[in-house]
Amino acid sequence: MSALLVPPSRVPQPRNPGMALRTITAETYRAFLASPAGAALGAGFLQCPSWADVKEGWRAQLLGWGPDPEAGQLTGVALVLLRQFPGTRKYFAYLPEGPVADWNDPDVDDWLGPLLEHLRRAGAFAVRIGPSPAYRRWDAALLKPLAGPGRRLGDVLASEVDPLGTAVAERLRARGWRRCGGEGTGANGTGGDGDAQPRHVFQVPLAGRTPEDLWSGLNQEWRRNVRRARKEGVEVVVGSAVELPEFYRLLGITERRDGFRLGRSLAYYERQYAVLNAEEPGRMKLYLARHRGEILAAHTMITVGRRAWYQTGASADHRREVRPSNALQWRMLLDAHALGADVYDMRGVPSTLDPEERTYGLLRWKLGTGGQVVETLGEWERALGGSANHALHRAFQAYLNRR
């Protein structure tokens, strides 16, 4: 992992004299995430130090702030990825699903201001962040009967509006941040098309529930499919790096069948598997569904602290009637629960509720687990002051749009 280091003497001090911001080591960063204070902030896997080694073409910085960052006395951390703008010495700074911060703190300027100034001094012309608070939630039971032609999530009154998410969005707007992809999720809104990470995710709450509760939370079709897989002799096992080429082959089949392309290589998944598990054994697992000795489906799961994510799924075109993917997800749900996860995050879902749209099938499948669609705050961007940086920001956006 490469780094751009700014000497501590050049890092500006926040208004709070008890607060300092510094570059920190990966060991200090991980120790904070594992501490009670750090774990309470619920960092995602994209903010783990190992993620810097997954991403090629980016430089990385690990930053921490608090009373004494170098001694491990921290209140927040951030993995910053820096992409150089071609032909310049300036960088676009990206904090995927970060920073790992206490967004309840009304004095966000105590750490956000020094963070931005540090990045400006390090050569960044613009910054993109992904605040962690949720914005709105829709229960699965609410959404399924409301599907219809032309309908979108924004057309449905949410089951819950998170006051913290609303407050954070207002604070960011007041400080000149712009929500990537716009604000809308309704019929006339793009709803996060400009986000690099999914704005809408599907989550199954696990805290305080028993395996029996999880089973009863599945809809009738899901329970029938899990039973069918069991009856047909589908075997679910945890694989290893050896099976990643088979996972990748199935992923190619899935992309062609479902009309999407992730654009990642086998080497990307092999690197991801290696570096995440080097950071913590078992952090990334590859689940396989076998039937008559053949792997029919393969899904990956990542765990950090008390959260688990279903990251990527792949399946064959044939023998789909034995329901290998349902069997995989049920096993992964149970394993996440056994590990003590509070939430099982099934990652991105579309904002459409129109059954005629191709992507609706993914949402419908995840709704069957009985969880919730969660609209996150999404990603936010701002240039770091000055006409030159604003011009570079506009040029960089145009450059990305042409790629």
Side-chain angles (χ1 to χ4, degrees):
M1 176 175 66
S2 57
L4 296 172
L5 299 180
V6 176
S9 60
R10 294 184 57 197
V11 178
Q13 297 299 308
R15 294 176 303 158
N16 181 349
M19 181 80 70
L21 185 146
R22 299 284 190 273
T23 56
I24 59 175
T25 66
E27 292 72 21
T28 300
Y29 193 113
R30 293 187 188 104
F32 174 71
L33 294 185
S35 70
L41 300 178
F45 63 91
L46 298 178
Q47 278 292 297
C48 288
S50 57
W51 196 251
D53 294 319
V54 175
K55 304 299 290 181
E56 290 188 323
W58 298 78
R59 293 187 178 183
Q61 282 192 356
L62 298 177
L63 302 178
W65 53 90
D68 190 349
E70 290 149 328
Q73 297 179 31
L74 297 164
T75 57
V77 294
L79 165 64
V80 182
L81 301 175
L82 296 130
R83 169 84 75 172
Q84 189 170 7
F85 187 83
T88 76
R89 295 183 179 180
K90 304 287 281 185
Y91 297 86
F92 178 75
Y94 180 38
L95 287 68
E97 297 188 2
V100 183
D102 181 7
W103 290 98
N104 279 290
D105 184 357
D107 297 321
V108 295
D109 290 319
D110 280 349
W111 57 265
L112 186 56
L115 173 64
L116 296 182
E117 180 60 15
H118 170 89
L119 295 174
R120 186 188 68 80
R121 291 178 179 234
F125 61 85
V127 181
R128 176 182 287 205
I129 62 174
S132 59
Y135 193 46
R136 293 186 287 185
R137 300 175 186 271
W138 293 267
D139 293 335
L142 168 69
L143 290 176
K144 190 170 182 181
L146 295 179
R151 293 186 66 85
R152 303 186 71 83
L153 283 172
D155 300 326
V156 179
L157 186 66
S159 305
E160 177 187 345
V161 177
D162 193 314
L164 176 59
T166 302
V168 170
E170 291 173 353
R171 290 172 191 161
L172 291 174
R173 289 190 194 97
R175 289 159 176 80
W177 293 84
R178 179 186 63 83
R179 198 180 191 196
C180 301
E183 299 291 336
T185 57
N188 298 316
T190 58
D193 288 345
D195 295 328
Q197 305 303 325
R199 180 181 295 188
H200 297 92
V201 298
F202 195 87
Q203 297 180 350
V204 181
L206 303 180
R209 303 177 72 188
T210 66
E212 291 74 24
D213 294 331
L214 297 178
W215 179 255
S216 63
L218 303 179
N219 68 15
Q220 186 177 11
E221 181 181 1
W222 261 80
R223 291 196 296 268
R224 182 171 61 249
N225 288 342
V226 173
R227 291 192 187 103
R228 174 70 182 272
R230 189 179 301 136
K231 181 180 178 181
E232 294 287 346
V234 174
E235 177 191 18
V236 177
V237 298
V238 177
S240 68
V242 173
E243 285 87 17
L244 283 172
E246 182 63 13
F247 158 77
Y248 188 71
R249 185 187 71 82
L250 291 172
L251 182 60
I253 293 172
T254 304
E255 289 177 338
R256 291 188 292 273
R257 180 180 66 238
D258 294 344
F260 70 92
R261 178 162 172 74
L262 295 176
R264 294 172 182 146
S265 65
L266 172 60
Y268 173 89
Y269 292 103
E270 291 175 331
R271 184 169 63 253
Q272 183 185 109
Y273 188 90
V275 300
L276 265 62
N277 287 322
E279 183 171 61
E280 182 176 312
R283 168 149 290 167
M284 180 176 178
K285 293 179 180 177
L286 175 64
Y287 285 79
L288 310 171
R290 289 196 179 101
H291 183 248
R292 299 176 185 169
E294 180 184 2
I295 298 173
L296 292 182
H299 295 179
T300 59
M301 186 171 83
I302 299 175
T303 56
V304 178
R306 299 182 68 86
R307 298 175 65 189
W309 293 262
Y310 158 45
Q311 189 197 21
T312 307
S315 61
D317 283 340
H318 61 288
R319 268 186 268 165
R320 295 170 63 81
E321 70 279 2
V322 303
R323 305 300 179 183
S325 292
N326 294 92
L328 278 176
Q329 285 300 308
W330 176 238
R331 166 70 183 274
M332 291 163 70
L333 261 173
L334 291 178
D335 282 3
H337 181 271
L339 289 170
D342 291 332
V343 173
Y344 180 67
D345 192 322
M346 300 182 78
R347 295 293 280 167
V349 291
S351 60
T352 182
L353 294 175
D354 187 342
E356 296 302 314
E357 291 192 32
R358 189 173 192 173
T359 56
Y360 175 75
L362 177 64
L363 174 60
R364 181 182 179 278
W365 187 70
K366 294 182 180 182
L367 287 173
T369 64
Q372 297 177 316
V373 175
V374 178
E375 181 185 2
T376 70
L377 279 181
E379 297 186 326
W380 297 69
E381 273 189 19
R382 60 163 291 180
L384 291 181
S387 58
N389 281 345
H390 280 276
L392 272 176
H393 188 208
R394 290 192 295 270
F396 187 72
Q397 290 173 321
Y399 164 73
L400 292 179
N401 289 336
R402 291 195 302 269
R403 295 180 66 201

